[in-house]
Amino acid sequence: MVKEEMSMKKMCQNIFLVFLFFTKVIFAQEGSFENVSCVLQVDGKIVTAGQVTVDGIPQFLVVRYLTNGLVDTTFNAIGYNTASPTGTQAGASGVGIDSSNNIIAAGYVCDGDTKVAVQRYTSAGTLDNTFGTGGIFTFPINE
């Protein structure tokens, strides 16, 4: 068990470096390293979630990698998804897989008030419209 945890930690460290390179190449700017999280799917694919700034607005970024470390272009047809509520600043800091193999990313959104945000993606990489509003559920932190 300890060996598996260490290899998962090492794998995540390597994926973090790939994530940073990915955000630099695809979005021509830096990703947010401190918010990057990763999880291993049952099929061995790796999912990362973090934050990237697109057109000056921080957004969720979820990327899926194949077992060989290449970006999985079957995920949202391009390998990643930057879905965030319109007009808000947002960022993911955690990611997991639910019992139906949906990807759950959690973080924050800020539209004047900072809220907790949970986004659910289908295994195909699109937001799951049966969850929350358009795949995104938010709730205020202070309530």
Side-chain angles (χ1 to χ4, degrees):
M1 183 72 141
V2 173
K3 186 175 182 180
E4 289 175 8
E5 289 175 9
M6 290 302 291
S7 60
M8 179 65 174
K9 183 178 180 181
K10 179 70 172 166
M11 178 196 64
C12 284
Q13 289 171 341
N14 291 337
I15 288 298
F16 293 157
L17 295 175
V18 172
F19 180 88
L20 293 175
F21 177 76
F22 178 81
T23 59
K24 185 72 171 174
V25 171
I26 299 298
F27 297 103
Q29 58 85 49
E30 300 296 329
S32 177
F33 181 77
E34 65 274 4
N35 292 336
V36 179
S37 179
C38 78
V39 66
L40 187 63
Q41 291 185 170
V42 174
D43 61 3
K45 293 178 182 174
I46 303 158
V47 179
T48 59
Q51 178 177 310
V52 67
T53 302
V54 178
D55 296 328
I57 301 172
Q59 298 182 13
F60 271 63
L61 174 62
V62 177
V63 184
R64 187 167 68 192
Y65 304 90
L66 300 170
T67 57
N68 62 6
L70 296 175
V71 173
D72 179 2
T73 56
T74 66
F75 184 78
N76 197 35
I78 52 177
Y80 63 93
N81 194 320
T82 58
S84 292
T86 304
T88 63
Q89 295 183 24
S93 57
V95 66
I97 309 293
D98 71 11
S99 60
S100 299
N101 291 320
N102 293 310
I103 297 163
I104 309 294
Y108 78 95
V109 296
C110 184
D111 58 1
D113 294 319
T114 302
K115 300 173 184 150
V116 172
V118 179
Q119 298 184 351
R120 184 165 72 187
Y121 301 83
T122 66
S123 60
T126 58
L127 284 171
D128 180 354
N129 290 322
T130 66
F131 180 80
T133 303
I136 303 170
F137 179 76
T138 64
F139 55 94
I141 292 176
N142 294 328
E143 287 187 25

